[in-house]
Amino acid sequence: MKILLFFTLFTSLTLACPPVEKKIIETNIIEDSIPISPTYTQGLIYSDGMIYESSGIYGESKLLVIDPGRGTKKILNTLPDKIFAEGLTKLGENFYQFSWKEKIVFIYKNNNWNNPTELSFDGEAWGVTTHRNKLLLSNGSAQLLYLNPMSLEIEETIQVKQHTTPLESLNELEIVDGKIWANTWGSDKIYTIRADTGCVETQLDLSQLHKLATRHAQTAPDYDPWEHVLNGIAYDRQKREVYVTGKNWSKIFKLKLESIFSSKHDEFFMY
């Protein structure tokens, strides 16, 4: 019995992640605020000086490109009414746009926006990014899936935890300096995660940015906070700048990576 208890205690300790660092992202560290026309943002990436967006909702799902210098949006492709678009990423020269429950992935090759290749993925899809030359997918659980980019078969999984607690509702994803950045659906939080262990290292609170970007809608009688949640992360690797936005937000915020991690509002906590 003592051996069993010791083994159980040892296992629980070795499986625990370190305490999580908490940071509040204040408005004074915003590098730039880009005005945009609100759309139902489901995925965001930065590529070759432009921002690409996957916008959702049945009957309104699209692939768009945004000029970060002017905030203008251009529709690249309108998806069939039966599709609810979700995450977006780029691997090599191919853009991958996932659907929510329709089990279809749209692959845009060589900027052929109007005629994407369609592949089947047997599962629900939320956010997606690329890591280690594979697709990294979320599905609203605490688990992330590595997919083969050719076959879309699951090759590996990661369980994401805050200390000992699984981090559920993982949604939009981005790789920033080798770490996985993920938001959770319905919250103002972005989490930085170690890809090798699945341990959350930092929680970033973007509630101040959320208020700024949804001010245009908050006084409307039909305002629904669930239709205005944080849901977009993109990264410019060369300039080390992070772009963040959300569903029906009126702004995209640009943040310098060093400004985020030099914030004085630090706190460590355990779950």
Side-chain angles (χ1 to χ4, degrees):
M1 178 63 73
K2 289 183 179 180
I3 295 175
L4 178 60
L5 289 174
F6 175 79
F7 177 78
T8 303
L9 177 62
F10 176 77
T11 302
S12 65
L13 289 174
T14 55
L15 292 178
C17 294
V20 176
E21 183 180 10
K22 179 180 178 181
K23 290 181 175 290
I24 297 174
I25 305 304
E26 297 184 333
T27 56
N28 61 1
I29 73 163
I30 296 173
E31 183 72 16
D32 193 12
S33 176
I34 306 167
I36 55 170
S37 56
T39 43
Y40 205 81
T41 307
Q42 295 292 91
L44 204 72
I45 63 170
Y46 182 92
S47 177
D48 297 326
M50 303 297 278
I51 298 171
Y52 293 83
E53 176 191 356
S54 175
S55 177
I57 293 291
Y58 290 114
E60 300 180 20
S61 290
K62 298 175 179 68
L63 176 67
L64 305 103
V65 62
I66 305 168
D67 182 341
R70 297 184 296 171
T72 54
K73 292 190 178 186
K74 177 183 176 182
I75 297 173
L76 297 177
N77 190 35
T78 300
L79 300 180
D81 289 349
K82 66 179 182 179
I83 299 297
F84 193 121
E86 281 283 349
L88 176 71
T89 193
K90 183 181 181 184
L91 182 59
E93 296 303 313
N94 295 339
F95 288 78
Y96 294 77
Q97 186 178 24
F98 280 72
S99 60
W100 180 28
K101 294 182 177 181
E102 293 71 48
K103 300 184 178 181
I104 299 174
V105 181
F106 300 90
I107 304 174
Y108 304 88
K109 301 179 180 181
N110 302 315
N111 297 336
N112 190 5
W113 306 119
N114 294 319
N115 190 29
T117 301
E118 296 183 15
L119 287 183
S120 176
F121 170 68
D122 189 17
E124 191 169 312
W126 287 33
V128 66
T129 188
T130 58
H131 188 229
R132 301 196 322 234
N133 293 316
K134 297 179 183 179
L135 304 177
L136 183 62
L137 185 76
S138 68
N139 58 13
S141 70
Q143 196 172 63
L144 298 177
L145 314 175
Y146 279 102
L147 308 182
N148 182 298
M150 301 297 291
S151 65
L152 301 183
E153 293 181 355
I154 299 171
E155 296 187 343
E156 185 182 347
T157 62
I158 303 174
Q159 187 77 12
V160 179
K161 294 181 294 182
Q162 293 186 99
H163 195 50
T164 59
T165 306
L167 182 62
E168 301 285 349
S169 300
L170 293 168
N171 196 5
E172 165 73 332
L173 302 175
E174 181 60 275
I175 297 295
V176 178
D177 282 9
K179 302 291 178 66
I180 302 167
W181 285 38
N183 81 316
T184 52
W185 182 68
S187 82
D188 292 327
K189 309 295 193 302
I190 291 177
Y191 299 85
T192 72
I193 303 160
R194 285 188 52 164
D196 57 344
T197 64
C199 289
V200 173
E201 292 188 325
T202 313
Q203 180 199 89
L204 307 176
D205 185 338
L206 279 72
S207 55
Q208 293 187 26
L209 276 61
H210 182 186
K211 291 178 182 177
L212 276 181
T214 58
R215 187 176 292 166
H216 67 287
Q218 290 176 9
T219 57
D222 59 347
Y223 174 68
D224 182 352
W226 290 100
E227 299 299 306
H228 295 81
V229 295
L230 172 72
N231 206 32
I233 312 168
Y235 184 50
D236 180 349
R237 290 168 176 79
Q238 290 187 337
K239 296 183 179 179
R240 292 171 58 80
E241 294 171 341
V242 179
Y243 294 87
V244 293
T245 191
K247 298 179 182 181
N248 296 311
W249 284 22
S250 64
K251 301 177 186 296
I252 295 176
F253 297 103
K254 181 169 71 175
L255 308 171
K256 289 283 189 183
L257 201 59
E258 57 266 27
S259 298
I260 294 173
F261 289 101
S262 63
S263 169
K264 295 180 181 180
H265 291 272
D266 296 353
E267 177 183 346
F268 286 88
F269 61 101
M270 298 168 65
Y271 287 85

